Amino acid sequence: MSSIPSFTGDASPYGGGDPYADYRTADFPFTQYADLADRRLGAGVIAANDEFFAERENLLKPEAAEFDPEHFGHKGKIMDGWETRRRRGVSAQQPHPTEDDHDWALVRLGAPGVVRGIVVDTAHFRGNYPQAVSVEAASVAGSPSPEELLADDVKWTTLVPRTAVGGHAANGFAVDVEQRFTHLRVNQHPDGGIARLRVHGEVAPDPAWLGVLGTFDLAALENGGRVEDASDRFYSPATNTIQPGRSRKMDDGWETRRRRDKGNDWIRYGLVAESEIRAVEIDTAYLKGNSAGWAALSVAAEGSEEWTEILPRTRLQPDTNHRFVLDTPAVGSRVRIDIYPDGGISRLRLFGSLTEAGTARLTARHQELGG
């Protein structure tokens, strides 16, 4: 585990103008992975030992933290994050907190998975951020209560050891623990505020659950689907197309810049495992004057670049959910959608089931990760 790069120390007091003008951040190598703590997947901050100044739920808001210098309440400055009160010692002779004193929050991941990187964002916490943070993870089946998670028999694995962080900064940490986790414990030492938490990783679904479902969405992020690559991410990320539910606004889908050449845009997906695809939905919800004009689908085997067309180039309508039943089930573990010439789609759904080989591979992987 390493910090890439690291930020420490206070940021300058807010001096007016754009509050993000002096924000410290970097491009982290793990952000291509999905956010396992995304509220859209069902993530939640289920408990915290203290949230005196700002509630724990703010940690997982999807949008960037906001700052209003005039926003105060009865408890003080209202911050868009999770902020605890100032810790104190036990007496006038010992006024400072001990080395072990810290605050904590329990986070349920929206989808169990392998964590590849974590961002602890202290945006707008310039002089009231924690001195250091640490993050632990556990794998607990079912829907455990906070009390059950904090029981002595729960094994916690350190993902981020106690590490100094900076104020008003995106503090990124790469993680190399090859295990499947369901919950995190975020610690701030000794106290302070964190604006946002992002947990980037790979979804590791339970093969027993998918087996019971039978037919399900093979590309869905929550089921283990992923975006491998995309030709363009100018307006919005391609991963939006496999998020749960229907899009609720234009930027909740995938939209490319306007092409000025004769090419076309595309997304490549990795399915949960080798699968048999029987039906397709291509949704252009909320994309009206900017939806894709046409779309085609192709399938390939794992690691192969030999693509076989399963849905020929087909006209799409704006703000419409298009449904297609394939004449012959298509078998593969990778799918490519080509849109012509540019524009966007909001969701792609690929309905079917795992093949025998796909089930075997997913089960073996689940066991490797401690599932």
Side-chain angles (χ1 to χ4, degrees):
M1 195 289 306
S2 60
S3 178
I4 323 172
S6 61
F7 301 107
T8 56
D10 294 349
S12 299
Y14 175 65
D18 179 6
Y20 274 105
D22 60 342
Y23 176 65
R24 295 177 286 177
T25 188
D27 292 327
F28 301 116
F30 46 75
T31 53
Q32 77 271 22
Y33 295 105
D35 182 6
L36 303 179
D38 194 322
R39 284 287 301 172
R40 289 174 293 181
L41 290 175
V45 187
I46 61 175
N49 71 305
D50 186 301
E51 46 187 330
F52 185 85
F53 286 114
E55 57 269 23
R56 63 185 192 263
E57 288 85 359
N58 289 336
L59 279 174
L60 304 188
K61 284 183 178 178
E63 64 274 1
E66 297 181 351
F67 180 73
D68 181 352
E70 305 300 327
H71 198 189
F72 287 83
H74 290 292
K75 292 182 179 180
K77 181 73 186 72
I78 295 176
M79 297 293 290
D80 186 10
W82 168 49
E83 186 181 6
T84 66
R85 72 193 79 199
R86 299 187 186 218
R87 280 187 170 268
R88 296 291 185 249
V90 295
S91 67
Q93 289 70 39
Q94 295 178 307
H96 303 103
T98 70
E99 184 68 15
D100 294 331
D101 285 344
H102 67 277
D103 293 319
W104 53 263
L106 295 176
V107 177
R108 179 189 64 244
L109 297 180
V114 181
V115 179
R116 300 300 184 194
I118 294 173
V119 178
V120 178
D121 191 342
T122 58
H124 316 305
F125 289 94
R126 296 169 177 269
N128 51 347
Y129 60 94
Q131 181 184 29
V133 300
S134 61
V135 181
E136 303 160 280
S139 182
V140 182
S143 304
S145 67
E147 293 75 19
E148 290 169 328
L149 286 171
L150 295 172
D152 293 338
D153 60 345
V154 173
K155 178 186 176 183
W156 291 91
T157 300
T158 298
L159 302 186
V160 179
R162 183 168 176 170
T163 306
V165 294
H168 196 44
N171 300 277
F173 305 92
V175 177
D176 59 3
V177 180
E178 200 71 15
Q179 290 180 240
R180 177 183 186 267
F181 296 112
T182 60
H183 294 79
L184 298 186
R185 182 163 60 190
V186 181
N187 306 303
Q188 47 179 339
H189 309 265
D191 55 37
I194 299 170
R196 296 290 188 268
L197 176 74
R198 304 293 184 239
V199 184
H200 297 281
E202 300 174 62
V203 175
D206 182 352
W209 173 253
L210 297 182
V212 169
L213 293 180
T215 297
F216 59 92
D217 183 357
L218 304 159
L221 185 60
E222 61 190 319
N223 292 333
R226 65 194 184 280
V227 169
E228 294 182 345
D229 200 2
S231 61
D232 187 291
R233 299 177 175 88
F234 190 82
Y235 287 112
S236 46
T239 301
N240 280 352
T241 61
I242 55 175
Q243 289 282 2
R246 294 199 72 196
S247 173
R248 293 179 294 174
K249 51 194 176 83
M250 190 174 72
D251 67 351
D252 191 24
W254 173 60
E255 182 188 358
T256 71
R257 74 192 83 196
R258 299 189 187 207
R259 275 192 172 268
R260 302 308 186 196
D261 58 22
K262 299 301 181 182
N264 74 283
D265 288 315
W266 50 265
I267 304 175
R268 288 202 307 266
Y269 301 90
L271 305 183
V272 56
E274 185 185 79
S275 307
E276 183 179 89
I277 307 166
R278 295 188 289 273
V280 174
E281 284 188 0
I282 302 174
D283 196 350
T284 59
Y286 292 97
L287 294 162
K288 299 181 179 180
N290 49 358
S291 65
W294 294 263
L297 279 177
S298 302
V299 68
E302 182 72 29
S304 172
E305 292 299 330
E306 294 185 14
W307 296 92
T308 300
E309 188 175 78
I310 60 173
L311 182 70
R313 195 178 303 189
T314 302
R315 186 76 170 94
L316 299 182
Q317 299 299 324
D319 195 28
T320 300
N321 190 26
H322 309 76
R323 289 178 170 173
F324 307 95
V325 175
L326 301 184
D327 293 335
T328 303
V331 175
S333 56
R334 306 174 69 210
V335 166
R336 172 176 170 140
I337 185 168
D338 286 273
I339 63 170
Y340 301 88
D342 56 21
I345 62 172
S346 62
R347 295 290 188 271
L348 174 69
R349 305 298 189 207
L350 303 173
F351 295 104
S353 55
L354 296 176
T355 63
E356 186 175 336
T359 298
R361 179 166 183 175
L362 188 65
T363 301
R365 177 65 172 157
H366 189 67
Q367 293 171 347
E368 288 173 7
L369 297 174

